[in-house]
Amino acid sequence: MSDPLAVIAELPGVPEAVTDARKAVDRLYGHRVLRRKSPEVSARSALRGARASAALDGVDVPLEAIPEATDPVVQGALRVSAELGRLGPTWRAAPRQVLARLHTLAAAGLTERLGRPRGAAEAPDLLGLGVAPGPEETVARVDGLVGLVTGTSKAPALVLAAIVHAELAVLRPFGSADGVVARAAERLTLVEFGLDPKSLAAVELGHLELGAAYPESLKAYLSGTPDGVAVWVRHCASAVTLGVREATAICEAMQRG
């Protein structure tokens, strides 16, 4: 299969979901506030995304308390969020290097094996996905993921971002902070592959707002069936749309002063 992502992009309901998300992003980018203050909107979105990613890993801290939070999961999510803008060009050329860096940032205070793939067969299961693949299978699938990121495809950026997120979430390649890494890699893909180049959409918050649909859609992906994969990609499209809604609310609040 020369372009597996293009095949996924044509699964039932996926083209429509991707189009709807693309239209939502386009509407956001037309907001007048972004003419002058897009970096500030991006920064506020990043903070909300970090808070949501930590919540999805079990540490739910109110937004106003995030800057002072000392929990290592929250601190890791904040460090990852702050670093993403500098990792973009490297992501396309050397994904393994970026993943190691993301894990080093996310897992400080949680493990001593920073940036290193897990050697053990077991990995934490925060989302109830079941037993993680063994180290050998994980290495092989990460190799495949690297090929998708560094390769070429006719598929939309959202499809690649969804697969990046899903593979990292289900493989749990580091054995700690894998959820934060997976969601950061999704956002980085959306930015670097052109859907959201200013990193405005708080896609992590979208996943959080979708509640139980997040782990359930990952379980559907784990089935390996076309329908299951389509469920996951459509879920990610919904998360992007909700992330755009949050960014739009940020713009509206800034416009009101």
Side-chain angles (χ1 to χ4, degrees):
M1 193 182 300
S2 60
D3 192 350
L5 292 173
V7 175
I8 293 172
E10 295 302 322
L11 291 175
V14 170
E16 296 83 356
V18 169
T19 297
D20 287 346
R22 170 83 262 181
K23 288 179 179 178
V25 172
D26 288 345
R27 286 193 296 271
L28 169 63
Y29 272 65
H31 201 289
R32 66 178 62 186
V33 164
L34 298 177
R35 298 172 191 169
R36 297 172 288 107
K37 297 185 177 180
S38 65
E40 186 175 346
V41 175
S42 177
R44 295 189 184 189
S45 169
L47 184 64
R48 285 156 174 78
R51 180 251 161 196
S53 198
L56 287 165
D57 267 15
V59 184
D60 195 350
V61 176
L63 183 64
E64 61 274 13
I66 283 289
E68 290 78 35
T70 58
D71 187 280
V73 173
V74 177
Q75 286 295 312
L78 287 170
R79 285 191 296 269
V80 164
S81 179
E83 184 87 355
L84 275 187
R86 292 187 284 273
L87 295 175
T90 310
W91 178 234
R92 284 178 173 267
R96 284 189 187 85
Q97 180 180 333
V98 171
L99 292 175
R101 178 59 179 162
L102 289 174
H103 184 254
T104 298
L105 294 166
L110 298 174
T111 181
E112 295 181 356
R113 293 179 57 87
L114 297 177
R116 297 166 59 192
R118 61 180 167 89
E122 296 183 358
D125 186 16
L126 300 178
L127 296 174
L129 302 178
V131 178
E136 290 186 5
E137 180 184 347
T138 297
V139 168
R141 285 175 63 173
V142 169
D143 286 345
L145 183 61
V146 166
L148 292 178
V149 175
T150 59
T152 58
S153 174
K154 296 180 180 179
L158 194 152
V159 173
L160 174 58
I163 299 306
V164 165
H165 183 160
E167 283 293 289
L168 294 171
V170 303
L171 293 175
R172 287 159 270 169
F174 298 104
S176 59
D178 291 299
V180 171
V181 171
R183 290 181 288 272
E186 177 189 28
R187 185 162 183 157
L188 188 57
T189 304
L190 294 172
V191 171
E192 289 305 312
F193 286 80
L195 179 62
D196 182 19
K198 294 182 180 180
S199 194
L200 302 175
V203 62
E204 306 92 338
L205 183 60
H207 290 299
L208 180 64
E209 289 191 358
L210 287 165
Y214 178 54
E216 291 303 320
S217 296
L218 277 171
K219 289 177 185 176
Y221 176 86
L222 265 174
S223 72
T225 65
D227 285 347
V229 174
V231 165
W232 169 249
V233 179
R234 295 196 302 266
H235 166 89
C236 288
S238 297
V240 168
T241 301
L242 288 171
V244 165
R245 186 182 69 181
E246 180 67 17
T248 303
I250 293 170
C251 289
E252 294 294 329
M254 291 174 63
Q255 184 170 274
R256 291 192 299 270

Short mmCIF file of all heavy atoms in Angstrom, two decimals, residues 163-214:
data_model
loop_
_atom_site.label_atom_id
_atom_site.label_comp_id
_atom_site.label_asym_id
_atom_site.label_seq_id
_atom_site.Cartn_x
_atom_site.Cartn_y
_atom_site.Cartn_z
N ILE A 163 -3.47 9.66 13.26
CA ILE A 163 -2.73 8.40 13.33
C ILE A 163 -1.52 8.53 14.24
O ILE A 163 -1.20 7.63 15.03
CB ILE A 163 -2.32 7.94 11.92
CG1 ILE A 163 -3.57 7.72 11.04
CG2 ILE A 163 -1.49 6.67 11.99
CD1 ILE A 163 -4.62 6.79 11.64
N VAL A 164 -0.83 9.66 14.17
CA VAL A 164 0.29 9.91 15.08
C VAL A 164 -0.17 9.80 16.52
O VAL A 164 0.45 9.10 17.35
CB VAL A 164 0.90 11.30 14.80
CG1 VAL A 164 1.81 11.74 15.96
CG2 VAL A 164 1.68 11.30 13.50
N HIS A 165 -1.25 10.48 16.84
CA HIS A 165 -1.80 10.47 18.21
C HIS A 165 -2.17 9.06 18.62
O HIS A 165 -1.77 8.58 19.70
CB HIS A 165 -3.02 11.39 18.26
CG HIS A 165 -3.64 11.52 19.61
ND1 HIS A 165 -4.45 12.58 19.95
CD2 HIS A 165 -3.60 10.74 20.71
CE1 HIS A 165 -4.87 12.44 21.19
NE2 HIS A 165 -4.36 11.33 21.68
N ALA A 166 -2.92 8.36 17.78
CA ALA A 166 -3.41 7.04 18.14
C ALA A 166 -2.27 6.05 18.36
O ALA A 166 -2.26 5.30 19.35
CB ALA A 166 -4.35 6.53 17.06
N GLU A 167 -1.30 6.03 17.45
CA GLU A 167 -0.21 5.08 17.58
C GLU A 167 0.58 5.31 18.87
O GLU A 167 0.90 4.36 19.60
CB GLU A 167 0.71 5.17 16.37
CG GLU A 167 0.15 4.50 15.12
CD GLU A 167 0.07 2.99 15.29
OE1 GLU A 167 1.11 2.33 15.32
OE2 GLU A 167 -1.07 2.47 15.40
N LEU A 168 0.88 6.54 19.18
CA LEU A 168 1.63 6.83 20.41
C LEU A 168 0.81 6.52 21.65
O LEU A 168 1.33 6.03 22.66
CB LEU A 168 2.09 8.28 20.41
CG LEU A 168 3.12 8.63 19.33
CD1 LEU A 168 3.35 10.14 19.30
CD2 LEU A 168 4.44 7.90 19.56
N ALA A 169 -0.49 6.78 21.58
CA ALA A 169 -1.35 6.53 22.74
C ALA A 169 -1.51 5.04 23.01
O ALA A 169 -1.53 4.62 24.18
CB ALA A 169 -2.72 7.18 22.52
N VAL A 170 -1.63 4.24 21.97
CA VAL A 170 -1.86 2.81 22.19
C VAL A 170 -0.55 2.05 22.40
O VAL A 170 -0.51 1.06 23.14
CB VAL A 170 -2.68 2.17 21.05
CG1 VAL A 170 -4.01 2.89 20.89
CG2 VAL A 170 -1.91 2.16 19.74
N LEU A 171 0.54 2.51 21.78
CA LEU A 171 1.82 1.83 21.95
C LEU A 171 2.46 2.13 23.30
O LEU A 171 3.16 1.29 23.86
CB LEU A 171 2.79 2.25 20.84
CG LEU A 171 2.46 1.81 19.42
CD1 LEU A 171 3.44 2.40 18.43
CD2 LEU A 171 2.45 0.29 19.32
N ARG A 172 2.24 3.36 23.80
CA ARG A 172 2.86 3.79 25.06
C ARG A 172 4.37 3.49 25.03
O ARG A 172 4.89 2.73 25.86
CB ARG A 172 2.18 3.12 26.24
CG ARG A 172 0.80 3.68 26.54
CD ARG A 172 -0.07 2.74 27.34
NE ARG A 172 -0.84 1.86 26.49
CZ ARG A 172 -1.53 0.78 26.91
NH1 ARG A 172 -1.52 0.48 28.20
NH2 ARG A 172 -2.20 0.04 26.07
N PRO A 173 5.08 4.07 24.05
CA PRO A 173 6.46 3.66 23.79
C PRO A 173 7.46 3.97 24.90
O PRO A 173 8.51 3.33 24.99
CB PRO A 173 6.83 4.44 22.52
CG PRO A 173 5.91 5.62 22.51
CD PRO A 173 4.64 5.12 23.11
N PHE A 174 7.13 4.92 25.77
CA PHE A 174 8.06 5.29 26.84
C PHE A 174 7.69 4.69 28.19
O PHE A 174 8.54 4.59 29.07
CB PHE A 174 8.14 6.81 26.96
CG PHE A 174 8.67 7.48 25.73
CD1 PHE A 174 7.82 8.14 24.86
CD2 PHE A 174 10.02 7.42 25.42
CE1 PHE A 174 8.30 8.76 23.71
CE2 PHE A 174 10.51 8.03 24.27
CZ PHE A 174 9.65 8.70 23.41
N GLY A 175 6.42 4.36 28.38
CA GLY A 175 5.99 3.79 29.65
C GLY A 175 5.68 4.82 30.72
O GLY A 175 5.39 4.47 31.86
N SER A 176 5.74 6.10 30.37
CA SER A 176 5.35 7.18 31.27
C SER A 176 5.08 8.41 30.41
O SER A 176 5.73 8.62 29.38
CB SER A 176 6.47 7.50 32.28
OG SER A 176 7.67 7.86 31.61
N ALA A 177 4.11 9.20 30.82
CA ALA A 177 3.76 10.46 30.14
C ALA A 177 3.45 10.26 28.65
O ALA A 177 3.54 11.21 27.87
CB ALA A 177 4.86 11.50 30.31
N ASP A 178 3.07 9.05 28.26
CA ASP A 178 2.83 8.79 26.84
C ASP A 178 1.62 9.55 26.30
O ASP A 178 1.61 9.94 25.13
CB ASP A 178 2.64 7.29 26.61
CG ASP A 178 3.93 6.52 26.82
OD1 ASP A 178 4.91 6.79 26.11
OD2 ASP A 178 3.95 5.64 27.70
N GLY A 179 0.62 9.77 27.14
CA GLY A 179 -0.55 10.52 26.69
C GLY A 179 -0.21 11.96 26.37
O GLY A 179 -0.64 12.49 25.33
N VAL A 180 0.56 12.60 27.23
CA VAL A 180 0.97 13.98 26.99
C VAL A 180 1.80 14.06 25.70
O VAL A 180 1.61 14.95 24.87
CB VAL A 180 1.77 14.53 28.18
CG1 VAL A 180 2.39 15.89 27.84
CG2 VAL A 180 0.86 14.67 29.41
N VAL A 181 2.69 13.10 25.51
CA VAL A 181 3.51 13.07 24.30
C VAL A 181 2.64 12.87 23.06
O VAL A 181 2.83 13.56 22.05
CB VAL A 181 4.57 11.95 24.40
CG1 VAL A 181 5.29 11.77 23.06
CG2 VAL A 181 5.59 12.27 25.49
N ALA A 182 1.69 11.97 23.14
CA ALA A 182 0.83 11.68 21.99
C ALA A 182 0.02 12.91 21.58
O ALA A 182 -0.08 13.22 20.38
CB ALA A 182 -0.11 10.52 22.31
N ARG A 183 -0.54 13.60 22.55
CA ARG A 183 -1.37 14.76 22.23
C ARG A 183 -0.52 15.93 21.74
O ARG A 183 -0.93 16.68 20.85
CB ARG A 183 -2.20 15.14 23.45
CG ARG A 183 -3.29 14.10 23.76
CD ARG A 183 -4.14 14.47 24.96
NE ARG A 183 -3.44 14.35 26.24
CZ ARG A 183 -3.38 13.23 26.96
NH1 ARG A 183 -3.94 12.11 26.53
NH2 ARG A 183 -2.75 13.22 28.13
N ALA A 184 0.68 16.06 22.28
CA ALA A 184 1.59 17.10 21.79
C ALA A 184 2.01 16.81 20.35
O ALA A 184 2.09 17.73 19.51
CB ALA A 184 2.81 17.19 22.69
N ALA A 185 2.28 15.55 20.04
CA ALA A 185 2.67 15.19 18.68
C ALA A 185 1.53 15.43 17.70
O ALA A 185 1.76 15.83 16.55
CB ALA A 185 3.11 13.73 18.65
N GLU A 186 0.30 15.20 18.15
CA GLU A 186 -0.85 15.50 17.29
C GLU A 186 -0.90 17.00 16.98
O GLU A 186 -1.03 17.40 15.81
CB GLU A 186 -2.16 15.08 17.97
CG GLU A 186 -3.38 15.44 17.16
CD GLU A 186 -4.69 15.23 17.91
OE1 GLU A 186 -4.68 15.32 19.17
OE2 GLU A 186 -5.71 14.99 17.25
N ARG A 187 -0.79 17.81 18.01
CA ARG A 187 -0.85 19.26 17.80
C ARG A 187 0.30 19.73 16.91
O ARG A 187 0.11 20.57 16.02
CB ARG A 187 -0.83 19.99 19.14
CG ARG A 187 -1.01 21.51 19.01
CD ARG A 187 -1.40 22.12 20.33
NE ARG A 187 -1.65 23.55 20.21
CZ ARG A 187 -2.40 24.24 21.06
NH1 ARG A 187 -2.99 23.65 22.08
NH2 ARG A 187 -2.59 25.54 20.89
N LEU A 188 1.48 19.19 17.14
CA LEU A 188 2.64 19.55 16.34
C LEU A 188 2.42 19.19 14.87
O LEU A 188 2.79 19.95 13.97
CB LEU A 188 3.86 18.83 16.89
CG LEU A 188 5.23 19.21 16.32
CD1 LEU A 188 5.51 20.69 16.50
CD2 LEU A 188 6.31 18.37 17.01
N THR A 189 1.78 18.06 14.63
CA THR A 189 1.50 17.64 13.25
C THR A 189 0.49 18.57 12.60
O THR A 189 0.65 18.94 11.42
CB THR A 189 0.99 16.20 13.24
OG1 THR A 189 1.96 15.34 13.87
CG2 THR A 189 0.76 15.71 11.81
N LEU A 190 -0.52 18.96 13.31
CA LEU A 190 -1.52 19.89 12.77
C LEU A 190 -0.86 21.22 12.37
O LEU A 190 -1.23 21.83 11.37
CB LEU A 190 -2.62 20.14 13.79
CG LEU A 190 -3.51 18.95 14.13
CD1 LEU A 190 -4.43 19.30 15.29
CD2 LEU A 190 -4.33 18.50 12.92
N VAL A 191 0.12 21.64 13.17
CA VAL A 191 0.82 22.90 12.88
C VAL A 191 1.75 22.74 11.68
O VAL A 191 1.68 23.50 10.72
CB VAL A 191 1.62 23.36 14.12
CG1 VAL A 191 2.52 24.54 13.78
CG2 VAL A 191 0.68 23.74 15.26
N GLU A 192 2.61 21.74 11.74
CA GLU A 192 3.67 21.62 10.75
C GLU A 192 3.19 21.13 9.39
O GLU A 192 3.84 21.38 8.38
CB GLU A 192 4.77 20.69 11.27
CG GLU A 192 5.57 21.31 12.39
CD GLU A 192 6.17 22.65 11.97
OE1 GLU A 192 6.77 22.74 10.89
OE2 GLU A 192 6.02 23.61 12.74
N PHE A 193 2.05 20.46 9.36
CA PHE A 193 1.54 19.97 8.08
C PHE A 193 0.40 20.84 7.55
O PHE A 193 -0.30 20.45 6.62
CB PHE A 193 1.13 18.50 8.20
CG PHE A 193 2.32 17.57 8.25
CD1 PHE A 193 3.03 17.40 9.42
CD2 PHE A 193 2.75 16.90 7.12
CE1 PHE A 193 4.15 16.57 9.48
CE2 PHE A 193 3.85 16.06 7.15
CZ PHE A 193 4.56 15.90 8.33
N GLY A 194 0.24 22.03 8.15
CA GLY A 194 -0.52 23.08 7.50
C GLY A 194 -1.96 23.30 7.87
O GLY A 194 -2.56 24.25 7.39
N LEU A 195 -2.55 22.46 8.73
CA LEU A 195 -3.95 22.72 9.07
C LEU A 195 -4.07 23.92 10.00
O LEU A 195 -4.96 24.76 9.82
CB LEU A 195 -4.59 21.49 9.74
CG LEU A 195 -6.05 21.68 10.15
CD1 LEU A 195 -6.94 21.95 8.94
CD2 LEU A 195 -6.56 20.48 10.95
N ASP A 196 -3.18 24.03 10.97
CA ASP A 196 -3.25 25.08 11.98
C ASP A 196 -1.86 25.66 12.22
O ASP A 196 -1.27 25.48 13.29
CB ASP A 196 -3.83 24.49 13.27
CG ASP A 196 -4.00 25.52 14.39
OD1 ASP A 196 -4.02 26.74 14.09
OD2 ASP A 196 -4.10 25.10 15.56
N PRO A 197 -1.29 26.35 11.23
CA PRO A 197 0.12 26.77 11.32
C PRO A 197 0.44 27.72 12.46
O PRO A 197 1.59 27.80 12.89
CB PRO A 197 0.38 27.42 9.95
CG PRO A 197 -0.98 27.76 9.42
CD PRO A 197 -1.89 26.71 9.94
N LYS A 198 -0.55 28.42 12.99
CA LYS A 198 -0.31 29.33 14.11
C LYS A 198 -0.59 28.69 15.46
O LYS A 198 -0.51 29.36 16.49
CB LYS A 198 -1.16 30.59 13.95
CG LYS A 198 -0.77 31.44 12.73
CD LYS A 198 -1.60 32.70 12.64
CE LYS A 198 -1.20 33.55 11.43
NZ LYS A 198 -2.02 34.78 11.31
N SER A 199 -0.92 27.41 15.45
CA SER A 199 -1.18 26.65 16.68
C SER A 199 -2.22 27.34 17.56
O SER A 199 -1.99 27.64 18.74
CB SER A 199 0.12 26.45 17.48
OG SER A 199 -0.05 25.47 18.49
N LEU A 200 -3.38 27.57 16.98
CA LEU A 200 -4.45 28.27 17.68
C LEU A 200 -5.48 27.32 18.31
O LEU A 200 -6.03 27.63 19.37
CB LEU A 200 -5.17 29.22 16.71
CG LEU A 200 -4.31 30.29 16.03
CD1 LEU A 200 -5.15 31.06 15.02
CD2 LEU A 200 -3.69 31.23 17.06
N ALA A 201 -5.75 26.23 17.66
CA ALA A 201 -6.80 25.31 18.12
C ALA A 201 -6.33 24.50 19.31
O ALA A 201 -5.30 23.81 19.24
CB ALA A 201 -7.23 24.39 16.99
N ALA A 202 -7.06 24.55 20.39
CA ALA A 202 -6.72 23.79 21.60
C ALA A 202 -7.28 22.38 21.47
O ALA A 202 -8.24 22.01 22.13
CB ALA A 202 -7.28 24.50 22.84
N VAL A 203 -6.65 21.59 20.59
CA VAL A 203 -7.20 20.27 20.27
C VAL A 203 -7.22 19.36 21.50
O VAL A 203 -8.12 18.52 21.65
CB VAL A 203 -6.40 19.63 19.11
CG1 VAL A 203 -4.94 19.42 19.49
CG2 VAL A 203 -7.04 18.32 18.67
N GLU A 204 -6.27 19.53 22.42
CA GLU A 204 -6.26 18.72 23.63
C GLU A 204 -7.53 18.95 24.45
O GLU A 204 -8.08 18.02 25.02
CB GLU A 204 -5.03 19.05 24.49
CG GLU A 204 -3.70 18.95 23.76
CD GLU A 204 -3.26 20.28 23.14
OE1 GLU A 204 -4.12 21.15 22.92
OE2 GLU A 204 -2.05 20.42 22.89
N LEU A 205 -7.97 20.20 24.48
CA LEU A 205 -9.21 20.52 25.19
C LEU A 205 -10.39 19.86 24.50
O LEU A 205 -11.34 19.42 25.15
CB LEU A 205 -9.40 22.04 25.25
CG LEU A 205 -10.63 22.53 26.02
CD1 LEU A 205 -10.59 22.07 27.46
CD2 LEU A 205 -10.73 24.05 25.95
N GLY A 206 -10.35 19.78 23.18
CA GLY A 206 -11.39 19.08 22.45
C GLY A 206 -11.51 17.64 22.87
O GLY A 206 -12.61 17.13 23.10
N HIS A 207 -10.38 16.96 23.00
CA HIS A 207 -10.40 15.56 23.46
C HIS A 207 -10.99 15.46 24.86
O HIS A 207 -11.77 14.55 25.15
CB HIS A 207 -8.99 14.98 23.44
CG HIS A 207 -8.43 14.77 22.08
ND1 HIS A 207 -9.01 13.93 21.15
CD2 HIS A 207 -7.33 15.29 21.47
CE1 HIS A 207 -8.30 13.93 20.03
NE2 HIS A 207 -7.28 14.75 20.20
N LEU A 208 -10.62 16.40 25.72
CA LEU A 208 -11.14 16.37 27.09
C LEU A 208 -12.64 16.60 27.10
O LEU A 208 -13.38 15.89 27.81
CB LEU A 208 -10.43 17.44 27.93
CG LEU A 208 -10.85 17.54 29.39
CD1 LEU A 208 -10.52 16.26 30.15
CD2 LEU A 208 -10.18 18.75 30.07
N GLU A 209 -13.12 17.54 26.32
CA GLU A 209 -14.54 17.85 26.32
C GLU A 209 -15.38 16.70 25.74
O GLU A 209 -16.56 16.56 26.08
CB GLU A 209 -14.80 19.13 25.52
CG GLU A 209 -14.30 20.39 26.22
CD GLU A 209 -14.79 21.66 25.55
OE1 GLU A 209 -15.49 21.57 24.53
OE2 GLU A 209 -14.47 22.75 26.07
N LEU A 210 -14.78 15.89 24.91
CA LEU A 210 -15.52 14.76 24.33
C LEU A 210 -15.67 13.60 25.31
O LEU A 210 -16.33 12.61 25.01
CB LEU A 210 -14.84 14.31 23.04
CG LEU A 210 -15.05 15.27 21.85
CD1 LEU A 210 -14.08 14.95 20.73
CD2 LEU A 210 -16.49 15.21 21.35
N GLY A 211 -15.05 13.74 26.48
CA GLY A 211 -15.27 12.80 27.58
C GLY A 211 -14.92 11.36 27.24
O GLY A 211 -13.84 11.07 26.72
N ALA A 212 -15.87 10.46 27.53
CA ALA A 212 -15.62 9.03 27.34
C ALA A 212 -15.39 8.66 25.89
O ALA A 212 -14.83 7.59 25.60
CB ALA A 212 -16.79 8.23 27.90
N ALA A 213 -15.78 9.54 24.97
CA ALA A 213 -15.55 9.24 23.55
C ALA A 213 -14.07 9.16 23.23
O ALA A 213 -13.69 8.50 22.25
CB ALA A 213 -16.22 10.31 22.68
N TYR A 214 -13.23 9.80 24.03
CA TYR A 214 -11.79 9.78 23.76
C TYR A 214 -11.22 8.36 23.91
O TYR A 214 -10.72 7.79 22.94
CB TYR A 214 -11.09 10.79 24.67
CG TYR A 214 -9.58 10.83 24.54
CD1 TYR A 214 -8.96 11.02 23.31
CD2 TYR A 214 -8.77 10.71 25.67
CE1 TYR A 214 -7.57 11.08 23.21
CE2 TYR A 214 -7.39 10.77 25.58
CZ TYR A 214 -6.79 10.95 24.35
OH TYR A 214 -5.42 11.00 24.25
#
